[in-house]
Amino acid sequence: GSTLRLLFKMFSSHFKLGDPCPGQPYKGGTFHAYLPDNRNGQKTAMLLKKAFELGLAFQIKFLNGEGRVTWGHIPHKTSLDGGKARNGYPDAQYLHEVCTVL
């Protein structure tokens, strides 16, 4: 079937006043996720959009002293293949699992 491709562009910035590390820079990035283009996939896309708007889809992690935007705790399919082990398809339970988390 056809596929929905979600694109998230996160800009590099600095932590704001009130954040854990005010003034500290962090790097953004471009992130892709995939869903089946069917009723359940479209419903899930809307839930993921809402989670993104609420600031729940991504987090900032520090690796080697450098802040960088990474995926948050909501599972996203970042590959069209490779199965569950590689964040891809096939994964028959994914839509149910991600909707439970959302």
Side-chain angles (χ1 to χ4, degrees), residues 35 38-48 51 73-76 93-102:
L35 293 165
N38 58 31
R39 199 160 142 233
N40 286 336
Q42 292 165 9
K43 178 182 143 195
T44 303
M46 295 307 293
L47 292 171
L48 290 172
H73 299 290
I74 298 168
H76 287 76
Q93 294 302 308
Y94 172 68
L95 291 179
H96 174 73
E97 288 173 5
V98 74
C99 285
T100 300
V101 171
L102 291 166

Side-chain angles (χ1 to χ4, degrees), residues 29-91:
T30 301
F31 301 84
H32 303 273
Y34 302 94
L35 293 165
D37 190 4
N38 58 31
R39 199 160 142 233
N40 286 336
Q42 292 165 9
K43 178 182 143 195
T44 303
M46 295 307 293
L47 292 171
L48 290 172
K49 180 178 188 270
K50 184 76 168 171
F52 174 78
E53 290 169 350
L54 293 171
L56 303 172
F58 293 89
Q59 60 189 346
I60 300 170
K61 287 190 176 174
F62 282 89
L63 304 168
N64 301 324
E66 181 178 82
R68 133 173 280 125
V69 176
T70 64
W71 292 106
H73 299 290
I74 298 168
H76 287 76
K77 288 297 181 185
T78 57
S79 177
L80 291 172
D81 53 27
K84 187 172 184 167
R86 302 185 78 215
N87 291 328
Y89 293 98
D91 181 352

Side-chain angles (χ1 to χ4, degrees), residues 5-34:
R5 180 175 173 234
L6 309 179
L7 172 65
F8 302 94
K9 285 190 168 222
M10 305 298 291
F11 296 105
S12 296
S13 188
H14 291 80
F15 285 99
K16 312 245 179 313
L17 204 57
D19 285 338
C21 313
Q24 176 106 12
Y26 60 86
K27 288 188 176 185
T30 301
F31 301 84
H32 303 273
Y34 302 94

